[in-house]
Amino acid sequence: MSGAITCSAADLSALLGPNSTAAANYICGQLGTVNNKFTDAAYAIDNTYLLFSAYLVFAMQLGFAMLCAGSVRAKNTMNIMLTNVLDAAAGGLFYYLFGYAFAFGESSGGFIGAHNFGLKDFPTLTSDYSFFLYQWAFAIAAAGITSGSIAERTQFVAYLIYSSFLTGFVYPVVAHWFWSPDGWASPFLSADRLFGTGAIDFAGSGVVHMVGGIAGLWGALIEGPRIGRFEEGGRAIALRGHSASLVVLGTFLLWFGWYGFNPGSFTKILIPYESGSNYGQWSGIGRTAVTTTLSGCTAALTTLFGKRLLSGHWMITDVCNGLLGGFAAITAGCSVVEPWAAIVCGFIASLVLIGCNKLAELLKYDDPLEAAQLHGGCGAWGLIFVGLFANEKYVNEVYGASPGRHYGLLMGGGGKLLGAQLVQILVIVGWVSATMGTLFFILKQLNLLRISEKDEMRGMDIARHGGFAYIYHDNDDESIQFPGMNPGSPLPRRHDPPAL
């Protein structure tokens, strides 16, 4: 513990007269006990804070599930909900067996970790079980992002394969590069940092959001758009989700969870910046929560009015996506920028999202949750934002003051940090494209990726999961026929389930 109480019996005995040695030993022993109690309390406080943050990040899985369910048509609700459950379950096992070791195990070349497989020799001097749980919650968040991009048309076995591969290998390697103390582009390196500074991605605009978004981009590109998404002439047809209520509730849960995602990435709270004052890491955590909030709020309002100008409507689901885009963007720099800069971040993140969605329509790219555009596009902007607006004081507080530590270009810190951020974007795009793009291509060649046209038209719930999530009526219900039903017959009532 920094600033621990010290006591020397030899120094103290000279001041105590008769029986000085015994008295000095007694006093120092009591002070040592008190000091140990303070040290224990500090560890307990920090671990409790990290565990609470892990629980918040895990609660985002519920938000993802609700957002995904509301954004797809009702006939695919059970499918998308099941994939969210399995992202967490499969991700838990594979991150335990391989992912954590690849991400945070010691490495020799900074490319991939090679220790602590299956949490062997754990905990360590620097990591406890609470840290593992927190990092697992991040890993499954990346997998959840990808599942939204390929929703409504993907075989269930493909979900299992890609989710395990992403959480067990692809994501952990990227995490090692930028978050491990010995990663080749980590700002925590004591020497030989990338461009003298390392890439700053505090809570994962690149490591989490870009990884999930680029993986989803390749999955959706290789699968192709959903049936009916684009007319033969190229005009886009909106296949709207069935529940705006679920979208909004899921968005609020994600907002709540982001206060564990971003402020929790400090991992410790009881660190004073100025000992004896009211200014410490707890202040940085509070500032991070504020910057996160301001970026999301700004992006939501910008999207609201931007979509109003473009479509003539006040679009609630678009506003929710705009809000999340602001959060994804600020995640990289939330701890090292001023609150006013977060407003700039959120404003531009909204424009990036709107622009990416327009480009997706032109290219006939279909992503039911706009996951690649939101997490990939806004995540990339978030990394660039850090290179422009990172504050010198905050960078030194969060990453440690050292010679050659650079900060934002527009804040007077030169262009080296921006260069490191651009390198991060390029290597993430390259790595995820090479691994996940190849995996999705192989799955397609093996006929394990996309469901049949017939099953897609009927809906994955009835075709693959034994029944509907609940009674509903979609615009394309007429395409669904059950055994024994005459064409044009009404759908079965709640008390009259379809024969399967």
Side-chain angles (χ1 to χ4, degrees):
M1 177 179 171
S2 178
I5 300 170
T6 60
C7 181
S8 168
D11 293 340
L12 191 60
S13 62
L15 305 174
L16 296 177
N19 299 318
S20 59
T21 300
N25 285 330
Y26 174 78
I27 293 173
C28 285
Q30 293 300 307
L31 288 175
T33 300
V34 172
N35 180 66
N36 288 338
K37 292 292 184 182
F38 277 120
T39 301
D40 294 342
Y43 282 123
I45 290 170
D46 285 338
N47 274 274
T48 300
Y49 173 71
L50 186 56
L51 280 172
F52 178 71
S53 297
Y55 303 152
L56 285 176
V57 177
F58 179 71
M60 295 176 79
Q61 288 299 115
L62 175 56
F64 275 127
M66 296 177 74
L67 179 69
C68 289
S71 299
V72 302
R73 289 163 293 178
K75 63 183 180 181
N76 297 311
T77 304
M78 286 180 64
N79 174 262
I80 196 67
M81 294 290 264
L82 183 56
T83 62
N84 276 270
V85 173
L86 289 176
D87 283 338
L93 287 177
F94 279 85
Y95 196 73
Y96 161 75
L97 291 172
F98 311 108
Y100 182 85
F102 289 151
F104 294 101
E106 294 180 12
S107 66
S108 56
F111 178 78
I112 190 171
H115 297 82
N116 304 123
F117 290 100
L119 296 187
K120 184 180 179 182
D121 301 323
F122 205 79
T124 67
L125 292 175
T126 57
S127 300
D128 209 333
Y129 290 103
S130 55
F131 184 73
F132 165 81
L133 191 75
Y134 186 69
Q135 294 300 332
W136 159 72
F138 269 62
I140 61 176
I145 291 168
T146 305
S147 66
S149 295
I150 56 178
E152 299 201 283
R153 62 215 193 266
T154 305
Q155 291 193 48
F156 189 66
V157 66
Y159 279 113
L160 287 174
I161 294 172
Y162 98 75
S163 182
S164 302
F165 186 57
L166 183 66
T167 55
F169 179 64
V170 178
Y171 164 83
V173 170
V174 178
H176 188 80
W177 294 348
F178 302 105
W179 285 350
S180 176
D182 57 359
W184 66 268
S186 172
F188 297 106
L189 282 171
S190 57
D192 298 323
R193 292 189 297 264
L194 179 65
F195 296 155
T197 184
I200 292 179
D201 187 8
F202 183 71
S205 287
V207 173
V208 178
H209 294 283
M210 276 195 70
V211 167
I214 299 301
L217 172 68
W218 281 106
L221 279 175
I222 292 172
E223 278 194 304
R226 292 167 291 172
I227 296 172
R229 180 67 176 92
F230 297 98
E231 291 183 337
E232 290 185 5
R235 188 172 71 92
I237 304 297
L239 302 180
R240 298 194 181 281
H242 78 281
S243 177
S245 299
L246 282 175
V247 170
V248 173
L249 291 173
T251 300
F252 272 116
L253 271 172
L254 288 169
W255 187 339
F256 178 63
W258 235 291
Y259 291 126
F261 206 93
N262 286 4
S265 290
F266 279 91
T267 70
K268 292 180 173 61
I269 191 170
L270 197 58
I271 296 178
Y273 294 151
E274 298 172 9
S275 186
S277 75
N278 65 344
Y279 186 64
Q281 191 138 291
W282 50 87
S283 305
I285 289 170
R287 183 183 65 250
T288 298
V290 170
T291 57
T292 300
T293 302
L294 291 176
S295 180
C297 292
T298 303
L301 291 174
T302 305
T303 306
L304 174 70
F305 290 104
K307 295 298 289 188
R308 169 68 176 177
L309 292 174
L310 292 173
S311 68
H313 302 287
W314 306 104
M315 304 292 290
I316 178 59
T317 53
D318 289 331
V319 171
C320 288
N321 278 344
L323 176 82
L324 299 177
F327 288 152
I330 194 61
T331 294
C334 53
S335 65
V336 296
V337 300
E338 295 278 5
W340 64 262
I343 295 176
V344 177
C345 179
F347 177 77
I348 297 180
S350 174
L351 302 183
V352 169
L353 179 59
I354 292 172
C356 286
N357 283 332
K358 285 295 181 184
L359 180 62
E361 283 192 14
L362 292 174
L363 298 177
K364 299 181 182 179
Y365 169 78
D366 181 24
D367 185 327
L369 274 91
E370 302 176 6
Q373 301 95 298
L374 192 163
H375 299 278
C378 294
W381 155 241
L383 295 177
I384 295 171
F385 166 76
V386 175
L388 297 174
F389 290 95
N391 179 283
E392 181 181 16
K393 174 185 176 182
Y394 300 151
V395 169
N396 287 329
E397 286 175 351
V398 174
Y399 292 98
S402 65
R405 179 78 74 185
H406 299 280
Y407 52 101
L409 174 65
L410 299 183
M411 307 300 289
K416 290 189 175 181
L417 177 58
L418 178 59
Q421 303 302 103
L422 294 175
V423 168
Q424 181 176 0
I425 293 172
L426 292 175
V427 297
I428 289 176
V429 171
W431 170 252
V432 178
S433 298
T435 52
M436 295 302 295
T438 301
L439 176 65
F440 282 123
F441 178 77
I442 292 173
L443 290 174
K444 181 178 181 179
Q445 296 303 112
L446 296 175
N447 293 320
L448 294 175
L449 186 57
R450 185 159 184 161
I451 60 174
S452 68
E453 181 177 338
K454 178 182 177 182
D455 286 348
E456 185 174 344
M457 293 299 292
R458 295 175 70 205
M460 297 186 68
D461 289 358
I462 194 65
R464 299 299 177 95
H465 302 291
F468 298 123
Y470 34 66
I471 301 301
Y472 72 96
H473 183 77
D474 267 346
N475 291 333
D476 54 357
D477 276 347
E478 62 272 11
S479 67
I480 304 171
Q481 292 294 320
F482 304 105
M485 282 182 59
N486 295 321
S489 298
L491 286 174
R493 297 184 298 276
R494 182 180 299 275
H495 60 273
D496 186 20
L500 301 177

PDB file of all heavy atoms in Angstrom, residues 19-44:
ATOM      1  N   ASN A  19      13.581  -0.090  29.935  1.00  0.00           N
ATOM      2  CA  ASN A  19      12.748  -1.063  29.209  1.00  0.00           C
ATOM      3  C   ASN A  19      12.388  -0.572  27.794  1.00  0.00           C
ATOM      4  O   ASN A  19      11.321  -0.871  27.256  1.00  0.00           O
ATOM      5  CB  ASN A  19      11.466  -1.385  29.971  1.00  0.00           C
ATOM      6  CG  ASN A  19      11.746  -1.990  31.327  1.00  0.00           C
ATOM      7  OD1 ASN A  19      12.627  -2.842  31.462  1.00  0.00           O
ATOM      8  ND2 ASN A  19      11.009  -1.544  32.345  1.00  0.00           N
ATOM      9  N   SER A  20      13.279   0.217  27.238  1.00  0.00           N
ATOM     10  CA  SER A  20      12.967   0.865  25.957  1.00  0.00           C
ATOM     11  C   SER A  20      12.796  -0.138  24.825  1.00  0.00           C
ATOM     12  O   SER A  20      11.936   0.036  23.970  1.00  0.00           O
ATOM     13  CB  SER A  20      14.073   1.864  25.596  1.00  0.00           C
ATOM     14  OG  SER A  20      15.334   1.192  25.504  1.00  0.00           O
ATOM     15  N   THR A  21      13.637  -1.188  24.833  1.00  0.00           N
ATOM     16  CA  THR A  21      13.552  -2.137  23.714  1.00  0.00           C
ATOM     17  C   THR A  21      12.209  -2.844  23.700  1.00  0.00           C
ATOM     18  O   THR A  21      11.565  -2.973  22.653  1.00  0.00           O
ATOM     19  CB  THR A  21      14.680  -3.162  23.812  1.00  0.00           C
ATOM     20  OG1 THR A  21      15.947  -2.483  23.761  1.00  0.00           O
ATOM     21  CG2 THR A  21      14.598  -4.159  22.655  1.00  0.00           C
ATOM     22  N   ALA A  22      11.730  -3.296  24.846  1.00  0.00           N
ATOM     23  CA  ALA A  22      10.445  -3.989  24.918  1.00  0.00           C
ATOM     24  C   ALA A  22       9.301  -3.058  24.536  1.00  0.00           C
ATOM     25  O   ALA A  22       8.371  -3.438  23.809  1.00  0.00           O
ATOM     26  CB  ALA A  22      10.224  -4.551  26.318  1.00  0.00           C
ATOM     27  N   ALA A  23       9.384  -1.820  25.055  1.00  0.00           N
ATOM     28  CA  ALA A  23       8.318  -0.856  24.745  1.00  0.00           C
ATOM     29  C   ALA A  23       8.297  -0.535  23.262  1.00  0.00           C
ATOM     30  O   ALA A  23       7.227  -0.429  22.641  1.00  0.00           O
ATOM     31  CB  ALA A  23       8.524   0.421  25.567  1.00  0.00           C
ATOM     32  N   ALA A  24       9.498  -0.360  22.701  1.00  0.00           N
ATOM     33  CA  ALA A  24       9.567  -0.027  21.274  1.00  0.00           C
ATOM     34  C   ALA A  24       9.021  -1.171  20.424  1.00  0.00           C
ATOM     35  O   ALA A  24       8.285  -0.940  19.449  1.00  0.00           O
ATOM     36  CB  ALA A  24      11.012   0.282  20.886  1.00  0.00           C
ATOM     37  N   ASN A  25       9.388  -2.401  20.781  1.00  0.00           N
ATOM     38  CA  ASN A  25       8.872  -3.540  20.018  1.00  0.00           C
ATOM     39  C   ASN A  25       7.357  -3.627  20.096  1.00  0.00           C
ATOM     40  O   ASN A  25       6.676  -3.948  19.119  1.00  0.00           O
ATOM     41  CB  ASN A  25       9.497  -4.842  20.535  1.00  0.00           C
ATOM     42  CG  ASN A  25      10.937  -5.004  20.071  1.00  0.00           C
ATOM     43  OD1 ASN A  25      11.304  -4.527  19.004  1.00  0.00           O
ATOM     44  ND2 ASN A  25      11.756  -5.680  20.884  1.00  0.00           N
ATOM     45  N   TYR A  26       6.806  -3.343  21.289  1.00  0.00           N
ATOM     46  CA  TYR A  26       5.355  -3.403  21.470  1.00  0.00           C
ATOM     47  C   TYR A  26       4.657  -2.332  20.615  1.00  0.00           C
ATOM     48  O   TYR A  26       3.682  -2.616  19.909  1.00  0.00           O
ATOM     49  CB  TYR A  26       4.996  -3.206  22.939  1.00  0.00           C
ATOM     50  CG  TYR A  26       3.506  -3.114  23.170  1.00  0.00           C
ATOM     51  CD1 TYR A  26       2.716  -4.262  23.185  1.00  0.00           C
ATOM     52  CD2 TYR A  26       2.896  -1.874  23.358  1.00  0.00           C
ATOM     53  CE1 TYR A  26       1.341  -4.179  23.383  1.00  0.00           C
ATOM     54  CE2 TYR A  26       1.532  -1.783  23.544  1.00  0.00           C
ATOM     55  CZ  TYR A  26       0.754  -2.937  23.553  1.00  0.00           C
ATOM     56  OH  TYR A  26      -0.599  -2.837  23.748  1.00  0.00           O
ATOM     57  N   ILE A  27       5.169  -1.109  20.690  1.00  0.00           N
ATOM     58  CA  ILE A  27       4.541  -0.013  19.934  1.00  0.00           C
ATOM     59  C   ILE A  27       4.621  -0.277  18.429  1.00  0.00           C
ATOM     60  O   ILE A  27       3.637  -0.123  17.699  1.00  0.00           O
ATOM     61  CB  ILE A  27       5.221   1.328  20.285  1.00  0.00           C
ATOM     62  CG1 ILE A  27       4.938   1.699  21.743  1.00  0.00           C
ATOM     63  CG2 ILE A  27       4.723   2.435  19.346  1.00  0.00           C
ATOM     64  CD1 ILE A  27       5.704   2.909  22.230  1.00  0.00           C
ATOM     65  N   CYS A  28       5.806  -0.714  17.963  1.00  0.00           N
ATOM     66  CA  CYS A  28       5.949  -0.984  16.527  1.00  0.00           C
ATOM     67  C   CYS A  28       5.062  -2.153  16.096  1.00  0.00           C
ATOM     68  O   CYS A  28       4.519  -2.154  14.988  1.00  0.00           O
ATOM     69  CB  CYS A  28       7.410  -1.280  16.192  1.00  0.00           C
ATOM     70  SG  CYS A  28       8.455   0.196  16.175  1.00  0.00           S
ATOM     71  N   GLY A  29       4.925  -3.150  16.996  1.00  0.00           N
ATOM     72  CA  GLY A  29       4.044  -4.266  16.664  1.00  0.00           C
ATOM     73  C   GLY A  29       2.608  -3.817  16.492  1.00  0.00           C
ATOM     74  O   GLY A  29       1.906  -4.267  15.574  1.00  0.00           O
ATOM     75  N   GLN A  30       2.152  -2.920  17.390  1.00  0.00           N
ATOM     76  CA  GLN A  30       0.779  -2.412  17.283  1.00  0.00           C
ATOM     77  C   GLN A  30       0.589  -1.564  16.018  1.00  0.00           C
ATOM     78  O   GLN A  30      -0.429  -1.674  15.325  1.00  0.00           O
ATOM     79  CB  GLN A  30       0.439  -1.577  18.521  1.00  0.00           C
ATOM     80  CG  GLN A  30       0.365  -2.381  19.808  1.00  0.00           C
ATOM     81  CD  GLN A  30      -0.700  -3.467  19.730  1.00  0.00           C
ATOM     82  OE1 GLN A  30      -1.854  -3.195  19.402  1.00  0.00           O
ATOM     83  NE2 GLN A  30      -0.301  -4.696  20.005  1.00  0.00           N
ATOM     84  N   LEU A  31       1.591  -0.736  15.711  1.00  0.00           N
ATOM     85  CA  LEU A  31       1.493   0.068  14.493  1.00  0.00           C
ATOM     86  C   LEU A  31       1.506  -0.816  13.245  1.00  0.00           C
ATOM     87  O   LEU A  31       0.818  -0.538  12.257  1.00  0.00           O
ATOM     88  CB  LEU A  31       2.641   1.078  14.437  1.00  0.00           C
ATOM     89  CG  LEU A  31       2.562   2.255  15.412  1.00  0.00           C
ATOM     90  CD1 LEU A  31       3.823   3.109  15.318  1.00  0.00           C
ATOM     91  CD2 LEU A  31       1.330   3.111  15.121  1.00  0.00           C
ATOM     92  N   GLY A  32       2.306  -1.903  13.297  1.00  0.00           N
ATOM     93  CA  GLY A  32       2.329  -2.825  12.167  1.00  0.00           C
ATOM     94  C   GLY A  32       0.979  -3.489  11.959  1.00  0.00           C
ATOM     95  O   GLY A  32       0.534  -3.683  10.814  1.00  0.00           O
ATOM     96  N   THR A  33       0.313  -3.838  13.059  1.00  0.00           N
ATOM     97  CA  THR A  33      -1.020  -4.442  12.954  1.00  0.00           C
ATOM     98  C   THR A  33      -2.005  -3.467  12.318  1.00  0.00           C
ATOM     99  O   THR A  33      -2.796  -3.845  11.442  1.00  0.00           O
ATOM    100  CB  THR A  33      -1.521  -4.864  14.340  1.00  0.00           C
ATOM    101  OG1 THR A  33      -0.607  -5.821  14.892  1.00  0.00           O
ATOM    102  CG2 THR A  33      -2.913  -5.466  14.258  1.00  0.00           C
ATOM    103  N   VAL A  34      -1.958  -2.222  12.785  1.00  0.00           N
ATOM    104  CA  VAL A  34      -2.843  -1.198  12.216  1.00  0.00           C
ATOM    105  C   VAL A  34      -2.550  -0.998  10.731  1.00  0.00           C
ATOM    106  O   VAL A  34      -3.461  -0.896   9.905  1.00  0.00           O
ATOM    107  CB  VAL A  34      -2.688   0.137  12.981  1.00  0.00           C
ATOM    108  CG1 VAL A  34      -3.459   1.258  12.283  1.00  0.00           C
ATOM    109  CG2 VAL A  34      -3.168  -0.019  14.419  1.00  0.00           C
ATOM    110  N   ASN A  35      -1.248  -0.961  10.410  1.00  0.00           N
ATOM    111  CA  ASN A  35      -0.867  -0.782   9.005  1.00  0.00           C
ATOM    112  C   ASN A  35      -1.396  -1.930   8.144  1.00  0.00           C
ATOM    113  O   ASN A  35      -1.898  -1.713   7.036  1.00  0.00           O
ATOM    114  CB  ASN A  35       0.654  -0.700   8.892  1.00  0.00           C
ATOM    115  CG  ASN A  35       1.118  -0.516   7.460  1.00  0.00           C
ATOM    116  OD1 ASN A  35       0.864   0.512   6.859  1.00  0.00           O
ATOM    117  ND2 ASN A  35       1.791  -1.532   6.913  1.00  0.00           N
ATOM    118  N   ASN A  36      -1.309  -3.169   8.642  1.00  0.00           N
ATOM    119  CA  ASN A  36      -1.825  -4.310   7.881  1.00  0.00           C
ATOM    120  C   ASN A  36      -3.333  -4.215   7.682  1.00  0.00           C
ATOM    121  O   ASN A  36      -3.856  -4.596   6.630  1.00  0.00           O
ATOM    122  CB  ASN A  36      -1.472  -5.619   8.599  1.00  0.00           C
ATOM    123  CG  ASN A  36       0.008  -5.946   8.505  1.00  0.00           C
ATOM    124  OD1 ASN A  36       0.707  -5.461   7.614  1.00  0.00           O
ATOM    125  ND2 ASN A  36       0.498  -6.770   9.434  1.00  0.00           N
ATOM    126  N   LYS A  37      -4.020  -3.703   8.699  1.00  0.00           N
ATOM    127  CA  LYS A  37      -5.465  -3.541   8.570  1.00  0.00           C
ATOM    128  C   LYS A  37      -5.796  -2.538   7.462  1.00  0.00           C
ATOM    129  O   LYS A  37      -6.729  -2.744   6.672  1.00  0.00           O
ATOM    130  CB  LYS A  37      -6.068  -3.074   9.890  1.00  0.00           C
ATOM    131  CG  LYS A  37      -6.024  -4.110  11.007  1.00  0.00           C
ATOM    132  CD  LYS A  37      -6.936  -5.287  10.716  1.00  0.00           C
ATOM    133  CE  LYS A  37      -6.974  -6.260  11.873  1.00  0.00           C
ATOM    134  NZ  LYS A  37      -7.826  -7.451  11.586  1.00  0.00           N
ATOM    135  N   PHE A  38      -5.040  -1.444   7.419  1.00  0.00           N
ATOM    136  CA  PHE A  38      -5.263  -0.457   6.356  1.00  0.00           C
ATOM    137  C   PHE A  38      -4.978  -1.073   4.984  1.00  0.00           C
ATOM    138  O   PHE A  38      -5.706  -0.831   4.018  1.00  0.00           O
ATOM    139  CB  PHE A  38      -4.368   0.767   6.570  1.00  0.00           C
ATOM    140  CG  PHE A  38      -4.930   1.762   7.545  1.00  0.00           C
ATOM    141  CD1 PHE A  38      -4.238   2.096   8.702  1.00  0.00           C
ATOM    142  CD2 PHE A  38      -6.156   2.379   7.310  1.00  0.00           C
ATOM    143  CE1 PHE A  38      -4.755   3.006   9.613  1.00  0.00           C
ATOM    144  CE2 PHE A  38      -6.673   3.293   8.208  1.00  0.00           C
ATOM    145  CZ  PHE A  38      -5.967   3.607   9.369  1.00  0.00           C
ATOM    146  N   THR A  39      -3.903  -1.856   4.887  1.00  0.00           N
ATOM    147  CA  THR A  39      -3.565  -2.505   3.620  1.00  0.00           C
ATOM    148  C   THR A  39      -4.658  -3.475   3.198  1.00  0.00           C
ATOM    149  O   THR A  39      -5.084  -3.502   2.043  1.00  0.00           O
ATOM    150  CB  THR A  39      -2.227  -3.254   3.747  1.00  0.00           C
ATOM    151  OG1 THR A  39      -1.200  -2.332   4.114  1.00  0.00           O
ATOM    152  CG2 THR A  39      -1.853  -3.909   2.421  1.00  0.00           C
ATOM    153  N   ASP A  40      -5.126  -4.278   4.152  1.00  0.00           N
ATOM    154  CA  ASP A  40      -6.202  -5.221   3.853  1.00  0.00           C
ATOM    155  C   ASP A  40      -7.457  -4.484   3.399  1.00  0.00           C
ATOM    156  O   ASP A  40      -8.148  -4.916   2.458  1.00  0.00           O
ATOM    157  CB  ASP A  40      -6.522  -6.065   5.087  1.00  0.00           C
ATOM    158  CG  ASP A  40      -5.376  -6.978   5.494  1.00  0.00           C
ATOM    159  OD1 ASP A  40      -4.482  -7.205   4.644  1.00  0.00           O
ATOM    160  OD2 ASP A  40      -5.369  -7.443   6.649  1.00  0.00           O
ATOM    161  N   ALA A  41      -7.773  -3.384   4.093  1.00  0.00           N
ATOM    162  CA  ALA A  41      -8.966  -2.616   3.734  1.00  0.00           C
ATOM    163  C   ALA A  41      -8.843  -2.042   2.326  1.00  0.00           C
ATOM    164  O   ALA A  41      -9.827  -2.008   1.568  1.00  0.00           O
ATOM    165  CB  ALA A  41      -9.194  -1.497   4.744  1.00  0.00           C
ATOM    166  N   ALA A  42      -7.641  -1.596   1.963  1.00  0.00           N
ATOM    167  CA  ALA A  42      -7.437  -1.040   0.620  1.00  0.00           C
ATOM    168  C   ALA A  42      -7.674  -2.094  -0.448  1.00  0.00           C
ATOM    169  O   ALA A  42      -8.358  -1.845  -1.454  1.00  0.00           O
ATOM    170  CB  ALA A  42      -6.028  -0.462   0.497  1.00  0.00           C
ATOM    171  N   TYR A  43      -7.132  -3.307  -0.242  1.00  0.00           N
ATOM    172  CA  TYR A  43      -7.365  -4.390  -1.197  1.00  0.00           C
ATOM    173  C   TYR A  43      -8.847  -4.751  -1.274  1.00  0.00           C
ATOM    174  O   TYR A  43      -9.398  -4.998  -2.352  1.00  0.00           O
ATOM    175  CB  TYR A  43      -6.551  -5.630  -0.808  1.00  0.00           C
ATOM    176  CG  TYR A  43      -5.089  -5.539  -1.176  1.00  0.00           C
ATOM    177  CD1 TYR A  43      -4.098  -5.680  -0.218  1.00  0.00           C
ATOM    178  CD2 TYR A  43      -4.702  -5.321  -2.499  1.00  0.00           C
ATOM    179  CE1 TYR A  43      -2.748  -5.601  -0.551  1.00  0.00           C
ATOM    180  CE2 TYR A  43      -3.359  -5.246  -2.840  1.00  0.00           C
ATOM    181  CZ  TYR A  43      -2.392  -5.383  -1.865  1.00  0.00           C
ATOM    182  OH  TYR A  43      -1.061  -5.307  -2.208  1.00  0.00           O
ATOM    183  N   ALA A  44      -9.501  -4.791  -0.121  1.00  0.00           N
ATOM    184  CA  ALA A  44     -10.920  -5.137  -0.095  1.00  0.00           C
ATOM    185  C   ALA A  44     -11.753  -4.089  -0.823  1.00  0.00           C
ATOM    186  O   ALA A  44     -12.673  -4.424  -1.589  1.00  0.00           O
ATOM    187  CB  ALA A  44     -11.397  -5.289   1.347  1.00  0.00           C
TER     188      ALA A  44
END
